[in-house]
Amino acid sequence: MTIDINILNNWDQAYSWHPFTQMKEYLAHKPLHITHAKGCWLYDNEGRRYLDGNASNWTNIHGHSDQALNEALIQQLGNLQQSSYKDLSHPAASQLCHELASIAPEGLNRSFFTDNGACSVETALKMSFQYWQLTGNPQKKLIIGMEGGYHGDTFGAMSAGNSLTFHQRFSECFLPAHHFIAPQHNDMSKSLNDLDRLLDAYGDQTAILFLEPSVQGPRGMYLQPQGFVQAVAERCQAHHIHLALDEIFVGLGRLGHMLVCTHEGVRPDFLCLSKTLTGGYLPLAVTLTTQTIYDAFLGEFSEGKTFFHGHTFAANPLATAVSVKNIEKLKQRIESGALLRTCEFFGKSIDSYFSKHPFVKSVRQRGLACAIELYPGSKSTSQTFNPNDRVAHHLSLYLRDKEVLLRGVGNTLLIVPPQCMTDFEIDFLCRQTSTAISEYIHGVVRRSGMSLSIAI
Ligand SMILES: *Cc1c(COP(=O)(O)O)cnc(C)c1O
């Protein structure tokens, strides 16, 4: 039975509370109900289509309703939909553990499953704290993170992160943490000096350092220079600090490689994966760790070494089954060269549509991750928009009429296509976005009375 869309809209407006959303603003617009999707296209109840330029919250790899993933899911559904993973196992989870150990750096062979990114970060944090207690270093309980980092919205993850707009309200309850400054453009010396300063002062008391390697996605695609991850890893090793790499965004094909850590030649002590782990099908996350850390927790029950942490839906059979198929398909996409070709075409398209766009102040792009910073134009009297005007967010609403879904934060538009996007779709995405920026910002500038002398 299909329910009338007006009734659904009313129910959404009367009873829902959406994440990261100012509901007053949300209620001012008619809700958009996505009813079905295929490939890179989402469809609403009226049959209008939208190109998924946001990869459905950065999760989608092979497109929506992918035949092979659907079949894997349906097959698993016929066998087992959920069981306990506490002291039981099931075939899909064991297969996924094996698969993850095969793609992870040598020695990072133990998988601990949860069901979202923040929880995979919490897991690394608690494992690290307990490891240091179990090995006679109970003083090691500080966290180090990097400026602008984002690791999720639970308290441990917020403490490791440095996302003040989102988290400052809760900062009084954070765990003790220090943050070093991020590299700027190609200069990592200031950042590493700042890290050295922290390590000299607090290294003995520090348990773990969290880093989103290569690209800080949620911050707005801030890029790190070549060699930076390795330099951080060396410092962690020298100071006996665990290195946790948060590849929740960058891992599994986003930057053109299976994993950033293997590409950078770094073996962390913890590796967090989630967003793309099931190719955008079901919630699943994993914290991979080393045999050394795992071994420290072994003992008689009475010794109290057990890791008392877990979630009800850990290693859910449906999610793990679809994840196995997802990784199998991703391996083919990488080995055939298709993924790198998509990344190259995306990079070229972004460059040709946006690098000289009159309302684009700067572009940050690596792999299939891109941030476009907007401004009123070089000839305008004002060099920037007021962040509270939320230009990028309003532009993303405007883009819906151009059949494109993107996310905008502050003055920055984020473009994160599914890894399977075709050249034609990438070109459509860039062209529509470029046109929308011109039309929309012209309108904004005109309405606000800023003087503008650009002809486009
Ligand atoms: C999305 C994200 C998280 C949090 O994952 P959730 O599943 O939303 O809790 C953590 N780190 C990074 C880099 C992310 O992009």
Side-chain angles (χ1 to χ4, degrees):
M1 184 188 73
T2 47
I3 299 173
D4 180 77
I5 190 64
N6 292 317
I7 295 176
L8 292 173
N9 286 346
N10 289 343
W11 286 349
D12 180 58
Q13 299 222 333
Y15 304 121
S16 77
W17 189 344
H18 291 260
F20 276 104
T21 301
Q22 174 45 257
M23 290 304 288
K24 181 163 188 251
E25 199 177 66
Y26 179 84
L27 291 175
H29 299 273
K30 205 173 120 193
L32 175 56
H33 279 91
I34 299 296
T35 53
H36 57 291
K38 182 74 192 161
C40 292
W41 294 91
L42 302 159
Y43 297 86
D44 69 14
N45 57 292
E46 288 167 13
R48 274 190 298 261
R49 63 172 198 168
Y50 307 90
L51 188 58
D52 192 2
N54 179 38
S56 290
N57 263 344
W58 305 355
T59 60
N60 198 283
I61 296 185
H62 308 293
H64 294 268
S65 196
D66 174 78
Q67 194 183 348
L69 267 60
N70 285 1
E71 279 167 12
L73 187 55
I74 289 164
Q75 194 185 1
Q76 182 62 43
L77 200 50
N79 295 331
L80 176 71
Q81 94 294 345
Q82 160 71 350
S83 81
S84 172
Y85 198 60
K86 290 202 177 84
D87 48 7
L88 299 174
S89 201
H90 62 83
S94 301
Q95 223 180 317
L96 184 56
C97 286
H98 174 256
E99 195 70 61
L100 290 168
S102 82
I103 61 168
E106 179 89 26
L108 205 65
N109 56 341
R110 289 279 165 185
S111 283
F112 190 97
F113 293 109
T114 48
D115 47 31
N116 64 74
C119 281
S120 73
V121 168
E122 271 336 293
T123 300
L125 203 53
K126 285 176 73 175
M127 279 181 178
S128 177
F129 284 5
Q130 185 167 337
Y131 173 88
W132 292 120
Q133 287 177 20
L134 294 174
T135 55
N137 295 285
Q139 79 288 357
K140 283 172 95 65
K141 50 193 178 193
L142 268 178
I143 304 168
I144 292 182
M146 193 165 83
E147 172 192 9
Y150 176 83
H151 303 287
D153 298 324
T154 53
F155 275 95
M158 286 194 291
S159 313
N162 179 232
S163 183
L164 288 183
T165 348
F166 296 158
H167 297 151
Q168 188 155 37
R169 191 173 287 284
F170 307 104
S171 60
E172 275 180 33
C173 310
F174 284 5
L175 298 171
H178 294 284
H179 296 86
F180 63 105
I181 59 176
Q184 292 189 337
H185 305 293
N186 276 327
D187 177 16
M188 58 179 167
S189 59
K190 277 204 194 96
S191 170
L192 292 174
N193 287 343
D194 199 35
L195 176 57
D196 287 336
R197 176 186 64 80
L198 283 183
L199 291 171
D200 287 341
Y202 307 109
D204 295 349
Q205 305 148 54
T206 302
I208 186 164
L209 181 148
F210 280 91
L211 179 71
E212 296 155 79
S214 191
V215 179
Q216 285 180 311
R219 185 187 184 192
M221 311 307 162
Y222 278 76
L223 312 179
Q224 296 154 24
Q226 195 67 40
F228 178 72
V229 184
Q230 210 156 37
V232 172
E234 281 162 13
R235 283 162 172 79
C236 287
Q237 207 161 22
H239 287 265
H240 303 288
I241 289 167
H242 288 146
L243 171 65
L245 292 184
D246 173 349
E247 294 206 28
I248 293 167
F249 171 62
V250 292
L252 302 178
R254 177 57 52 205
L255 302 187
H257 330 289
M258 184 60 88
L259 294 174
V260 174
C261 56
T262 38
H263 182 71
E264 301 270 341
V266 166
R267 196 215 67 189
D269 300 287
F270 298 98
L271 174 67
C272 300
L273 300 173
S274 181
K275 283 201 165 81
T276 40
L277 189 53
T278 64
Y281 268 60
L282 286 164
L284 182 70
V286 66
T287 309
L288 282 142
T289 192
T290 62
Q291 191 68 27
T292 311
I293 290 173
Y294 170 87
D295 282 344
F297 290 67
L298 298 179
E300 298 304 322
F301 185 81
S302 56
E303 292 177 78
K305 293 181 171 180
T306 309
F307 187 50
F308 285 113
H309 179 88
H311 295 282
T312 308
F313 280 94
N316 171 261
L318 297 174
T320 45
V322 91
S323 179
V324 168
K325 183 54 80 179
N326 173 44
I327 294 174
E328 190 184 306
K329 274 200 80 158
L330 182 57
K331 275 183 174 166
Q332 289 162 6
R333 196 177 287 286
I334 291 170
E335 279 158 21
S336 67
L339 181 59
L340 278 183
R341 273 199 300 280
T342 308
C343 291
E344 262 174 45
F345 186 80
F346 181 70
K348 277 190 200 142
S349 306
I350 292 292
D351 189 50
S352 72
Y353 278 100
F354 300 106
S355 61
K356 297 198 177 70
H357 194 292
F359 297 129
V360 172
K361 189 173 187 182
S362 62
V363 176
R364 295 182 291 276
Q365 177 263 331
R366 185 170 288 171
L368 296 172
C370 175
I372 293 180
E373 221 168 291
L374 305 167
Y375 78 142
S378 60
K379 306 219 175 109
S380 163
T381 47
S382 172
Q383 283 304 296
T384 179
F385 294 113
N386 179 345
N388 283 333
D389 290 344
R390 315 191 61 238
V391 164
H393 171 69
H394 291 292
L395 181 60
S396 74
L397 296 179
Y398 184 83
L399 259 168
R400 289 181 183 181
D401 284 337
K402 296 200 181 295
E403 303 185 318
V404 167
L405 289 186
L406 289 182
R407 201 162 89 87
V409 181
N411 299 335
T412 308
L413 208 52
L414 303 175
I415 307 185
V416 180
Q419 280 87 321
C420 67
M421 203 174 255
T422 63
D423 290 0
F424 177 82
E425 288 164 338
I426 289 172
D427 189 67
F428 181 86
L429 174 65
C430 292
R431 185 156 25 92
Q432 296 295 81
T433 304
S434 169
T435 310
I437 292 174
S438 300
E439 292 174 0
Y440 184 76
I441 295 186
H442 252 307
V444 169
V445 168
R446 215 174 20 244
R447 279 194 302 279
S448 68
M450 290 177 191
S451 86
L452 182 81
S453 52
I454 292 177
I456 43 172

